[in-house]
Amino acid sequence: MEDMNEYSNIEEFAEASKINASKDQQDDGKMFIGGLSWDTSKKDLREYLSRFGEVVDCTIKTDPVTGKSRRFGFLLFKDAASVDKVLELKEHKLDGKLIDPKRAKALKGKEPPKKVFMGGLRPDTSEEQIKEYFGAFGEIENIELPMDTKTNERRGFCFITYTNEEPVKRLLESRYHQIGSAKCEIKVAQPKEVYTQQQQQQKGGRGTAAGGQIGMRGRGRGQDYSGQQSTYGKASRGGGNHQNNYQPY
């Protein structure tokens, strides 16, 4: 039942996937929308801006603790010309408030992501199945299949590193992927120190995040992402324990 609940809102989570896929790169069809009302929903924002062109993705940022709107969001048009139409109008009013739409700018100073985290993986999924599925998106540099050092069994997640960022962008267009009999979640893998810093900022430095851990529902609960690398890539399983330096985005 827990696993079913975890994936019950697939469509909701998938809404921001296209926006997140290009967050580190300039996308002329993407807009930042500030000054939103507390009551404005993603549906409200999408419906309002759809009058300027076809909207392919929309999200409103929320506080990770309270779940309340942070009063800004992002929207992606299919055609960059729609952004120009929005900006031609001097004032935009939604839910009784003047909103502030602007061209979204790419985050600077970050390398394009080439590594992804996959959660919800069945431990009995073979490495060949993983390689076959993810290899269809692009050339794989490395696959990491962490092991539980106490039980010597595979954990319910893995990491895939590509030779370039394009396969990652295509993967992130959908948050969930069917791998064998499991519905698996895909995220960008962040360096552990970056992930820990983000968690400390969100939780005021409290909780297990300060120790570089993440609580996961279902398989792999409360584990840090350490383990051995698989035989595919740069390391072999015979090489001892490998401390993974990445966390999911």
Side-chain angles (χ1 to χ4, degrees):
M1 183 63 68
E2 190 174 26
D3 286 345
M4 290 296 292
N5 290 337
E6 185 174 355
Y7 300 111
S8 61
N9 295 320
I10 293 176
E11 291 301 322
E12 177 184 350
F13 287 124
E15 283 192 4
S17 59
K18 291 183 175 64
I19 289 173
N20 292 334
S22 62
K23 66 189 301 180
D24 297 328
Q25 300 169 359
Q26 188 63 36
D27 191 327
D28 293 335
K30 188 189 296 185
M31 298 199 76
F32 166 86
I33 316 295
L36 297 174
S37 164
W38 297 107
D39 300 321
T40 298
S41 67
K42 287 183 283 190
K43 181 181 178 182
D44 296 333
L45 183 61
R46 179 187 285 266
E47 286 183 352
Y48 174 76
L49 290 173
S50 289
R51 68 186 68 180
F52 299 96
E54 183 179 347
V55 175
V56 296
D57 202 1
C58 177
T59 184
I60 292 178
K61 295 300 182 180
T62 57
D63 185 289
V65 177
T66 66
K68 292 183 178 180
S69 169
R70 293 168 63 188
R71 299 185 59 202
F72 71 90
F74 294 89
L75 182 135
L76 183 64
F77 284 108
K78 182 178 180 180
D79 189 344
S82 299
V83 175
D84 296 328
K85 293 178 182 178
V86 173
L87 297 177
E88 285 174 3
L89 193 61
K90 292 184 177 181
E91 288 189 353
H92 293 270
K93 198 170 186 179
L94 178 61
D95 292 332
K97 286 188 67 65
L98 286 174
I99 61 174
D100 184 21
K102 300 177 180 178
R103 294 185 191 275
K105 296 181 180 180
L107 295 175
K108 302 297 183 181
K110 288 189 176 182
E111 290 293 325
K114 299 179 183 179
K115 186 171 187 174
V116 296
F117 159 88
M118 177 174 67
L121 181 68
R122 290 181 60 88
D124 59 359
T125 304
S126 72
E127 187 173 334
E128 284 303 315
Q129 283 179 287
I130 297 171
K131 185 165 63 173
E132 180 180 359
Y133 182 85
F134 286 95
F137 290 86
E139 184 180 353
I140 296 174
E141 179 180 305
N142 190 31
I143 296 176
E144 299 169 42
L145 301 171
M147 303 288 289
D148 188 310
T149 55
K150 294 181 179 179
T151 65
N152 202 33
E153 294 180 352
R154 282 250 309 275
R155 293 181 175 180
F157 58 89
C158 73
F159 296 89
I160 298 96
T161 304
Y162 287 96
T163 57
N164 62 74
E165 69 274 13
E166 289 303 319
V168 176
K169 290 171 60 178
R170 290 196 293 272
L171 272 171
L172 291 176
E173 289 180 358
S174 298
R175 181 168 181 174
Y176 295 93
H177 294 254
Q178 191 75 29
I179 314 296
S181 61
K183 195 181 295 289
C184 299
E185 181 182 14
I186 302 295
K187 296 181 179 181
V188 171
Q190 289 277 42
K192 185 176 288 186
E193 60 272 16
V194 173
Y195 178 82
T196 301
Q197 183 181 29
Q198 290 175 343
Q199 293 299 298
Q200 288 174 340
Q201 290 172 348
Q202 291 176 0
K203 299 180 180 181
R206 296 188 301 272
T208 57
Q213 295 184 335
I214 180 172
M216 294 176 63
R217 287 174 290 180
R219 306 179 187 87
R221 184 190 303 273
Q223 299 168 335
D224 66 3
Y225 290 168
S226 60
Q228 295 174 322
Q229 288 190 337
S230 74
T231 54
Y232 185 82
K234 297 178 179 178
S236 66
R237 282 188 182 155
N241 290 339
H242 167 73
Q243 181 68 35
N244 196 296
N245 291 321
Y246 283 82
Q247 299 279 4
Y249 178 75

